[in-house]
Amino acid sequence: MSLFSRFFRKAPSSSRVPSPLPSAAPSDQSVAKASAESRALTAAAEEQALQSALDAGDVQAVARMVTAGGSTKLRQAAAQAINDLDLLRQLIREVRGGNDNNVYKILAAKRDALLEQARKQEQLRAELVLASEAVERHSQRPYDALYAERLDQVERRWNAIAEQADPALRDRVQQALARAQGTLAEHRRALAAQALRAQAEAEAAAVAEQQRERQAQAEAAAEAEQARALAEQRRALAETQQAERQAAQQIGELIRKARAALGEGNTSRAASIRRTIGEQLAGVSPLPDSLARPLQQLDKQLEELKDWKSFSVAPKRSELIAEMQLLLEASLDPLALAERIKSLQDEWRTLAKGVGAEFEADWQRFQEAAQKAYEPCKAYFAAQALVRQENLQRRDALVARFAAFEAEQDWAQPDWRAVINALRELKQEWRRYSDVDAQAARKQQSTFSALTARLQDRLDGEYARNRALKESLIERARQLSSNEDGRQAIDAIKALQQQWRTVGLLPRELDQRLWEEFRQHCDAVFQKRQQDFAAHTAGLEANRAQAVDLCEQVEQIAALEGAELLARAAALGELRAAFETLGELPRADTRELRNRFDRALERCGKSLARQQARAAEQTWTDLFVAADHARAYRLAVAQGLDQAQADALKQAAEACIASIPRWPKGGLDAIRQALADEPCTDLAANEMALKQLCIRAEILTEMPTPAEDQALRREYQLQRLVKGMGQRLQADQTNLDAMALAWIGVGPVEATTYAPLLQRFLACRRRGVERSA
């Protein structure tokens, strides 16, 4: 009950003239005034005592105020300050069933939060113990095919919570992880050593076999060579004679072609043909006169043309030499430099074609410059060759390692999962070392292909066996789907399902396809049995499912917020009608479903009420934001700031107003009026007006007033007592919304003064909203 309601039980009508007070009235007024002041002082003293207890850490004194505080506000504040779980439980027992439900709710909420925090801590401790024990157990295991995968799992589990563990536990787990990594490393070293031994044995066997093959081949070759030599001698004589005749004919034809080329001016072709003739001359000895004379004439013509051409291409050779010498200082990468050197050499060779005598000095200069320019390329290509050589060695080690893996497998009962992983890893690492010399890697590639083919063949064989087994199980399941004895069919299907789990691996897609087919037949068997009694309960179960769906829809709506809640709430009427028109429900579920639906509707109503209250309060929040922009503009005008600054502040205020979609009743008019009115330049008076509004709101909502304004609050209360004796309070004095509109109309103050006053006023509004909720 507020201070005003305790003094005035009923206010007379404003149209009546108050009757004269009896002579005892002054005495009653004094008593009422003294009583009000006494209660105010008592409340202030209790608040001060609570603050002192909090400052001193006196938990028991705070606990006593929870149950024995003089006001609801004091008891709630004391309850908020309790953080001891045992004390909270004790206080909950003491206030349970009392009149102050808010205190009970605060204590219960604090207790639940502390219990939840303790539960989470306990879960964390348990998880730390389990994770650390898993790491230590794994570190003591001997190595097996799943050792590395399991180590990765327990390590990830531990790392997810390791930061929460104490240092001693972290050290112990790190030691266990180090032991596990040592086990893994030791196994890898053993595998590598075994692979090296197997490789050495295989290489020794290959060398011995090659030696035997070479010896046999040499003996066979010697015998064949003797027979071939005799036949070759006889054939050589006939071929020599025939070759001389053919060579003479070809030389004659070439001489005619060379003359034709000279006649067309194609000296390069003529020179090329002359070189071919020179090669053919070795097969004709001596040369007949019919060919010697035309050949001499051809040589004379070529010499004359070569002399002329040598003269014409000399400047170009000088340019090529200069370009090659410039490459000595060029900052090109080795590949580009080598390409450029080759290009210049190709140009030189093109110039040299068809020239009878090359300029030896020019050629030496060009060649020396090319060799010096190529020096950086040598180092680069040597490094590339080294990389290729290292990749060859890595591939050799890789083949040896996986050959050892193949050898150590018990192919009677292999670990197919390990085989699959090994085959995938082998191909991935092989591709990683792909930069090798093709010629040197040819035999290596053959070995690799043979190894992967053997592993893949074994794996394909396993896949084929497993596929056949699963297809046979599918066929048996298909036959059971037509069995009339439902019980016998189900028992048989369960046995087939157990057998299915024992069948080995298959490729994922094939395994999934076979499983889907098998499951369809299994489902058909189970479904056939269910159909025997489904007819009896189908109607009830359908109604129950529909009822559950309706409950879930309403519960989903109740869990929504904002615009989505308002939009979906329009369907509540239809959902209610649909639930009421449902047919008969299962007897065991009827009461629970109806209660669930009613509770969901009730939650929807509360959610809608909260949403509407938040939306309404948001309009007031937007109003105060716009009011702050208006205050900044009016303060600039009151202080006589530059007109440009004032205009900018006004534009900001108008932009803020334009961006607000909804306003509380009278809010837009109030803010526009504030912008239009001439601001009061008395900043102290404006501040006092805002303080008075804060005090009025604090009295109305029973909120405390800061110590520096306690005197103003007492003065205001006394003024109202004197002025309002026997009269009803005006609406705008008891309405927080009216006070907010009055706040907008108050003149401007400095921002440092305005901010704390606004926080006090908004705190009162929040208290008012909580009370009305």
Side-chain angles (χ1 to χ4, degrees):
M1 182 179 292
S2 67
L3 179 64
F4 301 114
S5 60
R6 286 197 292 266
F7 275 95
F8 305 110
R9 301 298 180 183
K10 182 178 181 181
S13 172
S14 60
S15 60
R16 294 173 55 193
V17 178
S19 59
L21 296 175
S23 58
S27 176
D28 293 341
Q29 183 178 0
S30 299
V31 171
K33 176 179 178 182
S35 177
E37 291 181 347
S38 175
R39 284 193 293 273
L41 292 173
T42 300
E46 288 183 334
E47 292 178 3
Q48 183 63 35
L50 174 61
Q51 187 61 46
S52 299
L54 292 174
D55 294 340
D58 190 350
V59 179
Q60 294 300 326
V62 176
R64 288 193 295 273
M65 293 183 187
V66 173
T67 57
S71 66
T72 299
K73 171 191 161 186
L74 181 69
R75 292 193 294 275
Q76 292 178 1
Q80 289 285 2
I82 299 297
N83 290 307
D84 183 81
L85 183 59
D86 294 335
L87 188 55
L88 283 170
R89 289 171 171 163
Q90 177 184 345
L91 291 173
I92 287 173
R93 290 193 294 269
E94 293 179 6
V95 303
R96 183 184 289 117
N99 295 327
D100 202 339
N101 289 332
N102 287 332
V103 172
Y104 176 80
K105 292 178 180 178
I106 291 172
L107 293 172
K110 299 273 288 186
R111 177 201 60 192
D112 294 342
L114 290 175
L115 287 174
E116 178 64 19
Q117 183 178 1
R119 184 185 66 79
K120 290 181 178 179
Q121 290 294 330
E122 185 61 30
Q123 288 179 346
L124 176 60
R125 286 193 293 272
E127 178 62 17
L128 285 170
V129 171
L130 292 175
S132 62
E133 290 178 350
V135 173
E136 291 180 347
R137 284 197 304 272
H138 191 72
S139 69
Q140 297 169 1
R141 289 178 54 196
Y143 182 86
D144 57 20
L146 299 178
Y147 191 92
E149 181 179 354
R150 179 59 180 162
L151 176 60
D152 184 59
Q153 292 175 356
V154 298
E155 187 173 8
R156 285 201 306 271
R157 180 183 179 185
W158 168 254
N159 290 337
I161 57 174
E163 294 183 357
Q164 308 297 326
D166 59 83
L169 181 59
R170 284 201 299 270
D171 292 342
R172 192 168 73 246
V173 173
Q174 289 301 324
Q175 293 173 4
L177 287 174
R179 288 196 301 273
Q181 292 293 345
T183 300
L184 193 58
E186 181 63 27
H187 175 72
R188 289 171 176 167
R189 286 193 294 271
L191 284 180
Q194 186 176 1
L196 289 175
R197 289 195 298 272
Q199 181 183 5
E201 294 173 358
E203 289 177 351
V207 169
E209 181 64 25
Q210 290 175 359
Q211 186 174 0
R212 288 192 296 271
E213 290 178 355
R214 285 196 297 269
Q215 184 176 358
Q217 291 173 358
E219 292 175 355
E223 294 176 358
E225 182 63 24
Q226 291 178 357
R228 186 190 63 78
L230 183 58
E232 186 67 24
Q233 289 176 359
R234 289 193 295 268
R235 186 173 59 254
L237 181 58
E239 290 179 352
T240 300
Q241 296 173 354
Q242 180 64 25
E244 288 181 355
R245 288 193 295 271
Q246 291 179 354
Q249 294 175 359
Q250 291 176 358
I251 289 172
E253 182 64 27
L254 290 174
I255 291 173
R256 286 191 293 273
K257 291 181 179 180
R259 285 180 174 179
L262 287 175
E264 296 173 357
N266 192 342
T267 57
S268 297
R269 175 169 173 73
S272 176
I273 294 173
R274 179 62 183 86
R275 286 193 295 272
T276 304
I277 293 173
E279 296 170 359
Q280 295 289 339
L281 288 176
V284 181
S285 179
L287 190 64
D289 292 341
S290 60
L291 296 178
R293 197 175 301 107
L295 183 58
Q296 291 175 356
Q297 295 175 354
L298 176 62
D299 289 341
K300 183 178 180 181
Q301 293 175 346
L302 280 174
E303 287 298 328
E304 294 174 354
L305 290 173
K306 286 179 180 179
D307 291 341
W308 176 84
K309 189 172 183 180
S310 297
F311 176 77
S312 64
V313 300
K316 181 61 178 177
R317 282 200 297 268
S318 298
E319 292 178 8
L320 292 178
I321 293 171
E323 289 187 32
M324 185 64 77
Q325 290 173 343
L326 288 176
L327 291 181
L328 296 176
E329 301 177 357
S331 58
L332 298 175
D333 63 85
L335 287 176
L337 181 59
E339 185 66 25
R340 182 56 183 159
I341 291 172
K342 182 178 181 301
S343 175
L344 293 177
Q345 288 175 335
D346 289 342
E347 290 187 41
W348 184 277
R349 282 190 289 271
T350 301
L351 288 176
K353 289 181 181 180
V355 179
E358 294 181 344
F359 290 90
E360 186 64 24
D362 289 348
W363 165 247
Q364 290 298 331
R365 289 172 57 201
F366 179 80
Q367 189 67 8
E368 289 174 2
Q371 291 175 355
K372 291 179 181 179
Y374 191 73
E375 287 299 325
C377 302
K378 289 182 180 179
Y380 172 78
F381 289 117
Q384 292 297 104
L386 182 60
V387 170
R388 288 192 290 272
Q389 183 63 30
E390 291 176 352
N391 286 343
L392 280 174
Q393 295 173 358
R394 291 190 180 101
R395 280 190 166 189
D396 286 337
L398 184 64
V399 170
R401 178 156 58 93
F402 282 96
F405 170 81
E406 181 185 22
E408 74 179 5
Q409 284 294 318
D410 180 9
W411 292 109
Q413 292 181 339
D415 183 353
W416 292 111
R417 181 76 63 184
V419 172
I420 293 172
N421 293 336
L423 191 58
R424 181 175 60 251
E425 183 181 351
L426 174 60
K427 292 179 180 179
Q428 289 175 350
E429 293 194 29
W430 189 266
R431 287 192 294 270
R432 190 184 308 160
Y433 306 135
S434 60
D435 186 11
V436 295
D437 184 78
Q439 185 68 25
R442 186 171 299 166
K443 181 178 178 182
Q444 189 185 64
Q445 180 66 43
S446 176
T447 305
F448 168 78
S449 300
L451 176 59
T452 55
R454 287 197 303 273
L455 291 176
Q456 189 63 50
D457 288 344
R458 292 180 185 273
L459 186 59
D460 290 342
E462 175 66 9
Y463 284 161
R465 289 188 293 272
N466 294 338
R467 179 175 183 175
L469 288 173
K470 290 195 172 183
E471 286 177 344
S472 68
L473 294 177
I474 291 172
E475 177 59 23
R476 291 165 61 185
R478 186 190 63 78
Q479 295 173 359
L480 287 173
S481 63
S482 59
N483 194 332
E484 296 298 331
D485 188 343
R487 170 60 63 182
Q488 182 181 5
I490 287 176
D491 292 341
I493 278 292
K494 289 180 179 178
L496 291 181
Q497 289 176 336
Q498 291 295 332
Q499 294 179 38
W500 185 278
R501 296 188 184 96
T502 62
V503 179
L505 298 173
L506 278 176
R508 184 177 182 81
E509 280 188 25
L510 176 60
D511 192 46
Q512 187 65 26
R513 180 173 60 78
L514 293 176
W515 166 248
E516 291 295 335
E517 186 177 355
F518 179 71
R519 189 177 65 177
Q520 288 176 4
H521 296 308
C522 295
D523 292 344
V525 173
F526 288 111
Q527 185 177 5
K528 185 176 180 181
R529 184 188 177 194
Q530 292 173 356
Q531 289 173 352
D532 294 339
F533 58 87
H536 177 69
T537 59
L540 292 177
E541 189 59 32
N543 290 343
R544 178 186 176 280
Q546 190 175 356
V548 170
D549 182 63
L550 291 171
C551 291
E552 290 177 349
Q553 292 186 51
V554 177
E555 288 167 351
Q556 290 173 2
I557 294 174
L560 297 176
E561 293 183 357
E564 189 175 3
L565 171 63
L566 298 176
R568 293 283 301 279
L572 287 175
E574 297 178 2
L575 295 176
R576 181 194 294 272
F579 191 88
E580 294 299 331
T581 56
L582 283 175
E584 182 183 359
L585 296 170
R587 181 177 301 175
D589 300 328
T590 301
R591 178 176 297 179
E592 179 184 355
L593 289 173
R594 292 192 179 278
N595 290 339
R596 179 180 174 183
F597 190 78
D598 292 339
R599 288 194 301 270
L601 286 177
E602 184 179 356
R603 287 173 55 198
C604 282
K606 291 181 179 179
S607 297
L608 284 170
R610 287 194 301 269
Q611 179 59 35
Q612 291 168 354
R614 284 195 294 267
E617 189 59 26
Q618 183 60 42
T619 61
W620 290 101
T621 301
D622 294 340
L623 175 63
F624 281 109
V625 172
D628 192 35
H629 282 279
R631 178 202 58 79
Y633 163 68
R634 299 169 72 197
L635 179 63
V637 174
Q639 292 178 340
L641 295 182
D642 181 73
Q643 185 62 37
Q645 296 180 7
D647 290 342
L649 292 172
K650 184 175 183 181
Q651 290 176 1
E654 290 174 346
C656 179
I657 293 170
S659 66
I660 296 175
R662 294 180 57 200
W663 296 87
K665 184 178 180 180
L668 181 59
D669 294 337
I671 199 70
R672 286 177 174 171
Q673 187 65 39
L675 282 176
D677 289 344
E678 186 71 23
C680 176
T681 59
D682 189 349
L683 302 186
N686 296 338
E687 180 181 355
M688 181 57 67
L690 294 179
K691 283 187 176 182
Q692 288 178 351
L693 286 172
C694 288
I695 291 171
R696 288 169 57 191
E698 288 162 352
I699 293 172
L700 182 62
T701 58
E702 298 183 354
M703 290 283 287
T705 298
E708 63 270 17
D709 290 340
Q710 285 289 344
L712 291 175
R713 176 167 177 161
R714 289 194 293 270
E715 179 182 355
Y716 174 77
Q717 288 174 322
L718 292 176
Q719 290 176 357
R720 295 311 308 159
L721 286 172
V722 174
K723 183 177 178 180
M725 182 65 69
Q727 297 182 3
R728 184 182 298 276
L729 295 175
Q730 297 297 320
D732 63 337
Q733 293 175 310
T734 58
N735 191 315
L736 286 172
D737 292 346
M739 290 183 189
L741 296 178
W743 182 281
I744 306 301
V746 176
V749 297
E750 293 285 353
T752 55
T753 303
Y754 181 77
L757 293 174
L758 179 61
Q759 292 302 319
R760 286 172 57 184
F761 189 74
L762 292 178
C764 295
R765 284 192 60 83
R766 286 193 294 272
R767 171 62 66 85
V769 171
E770 291 173 359
R771 287 187 171 185
S772 62

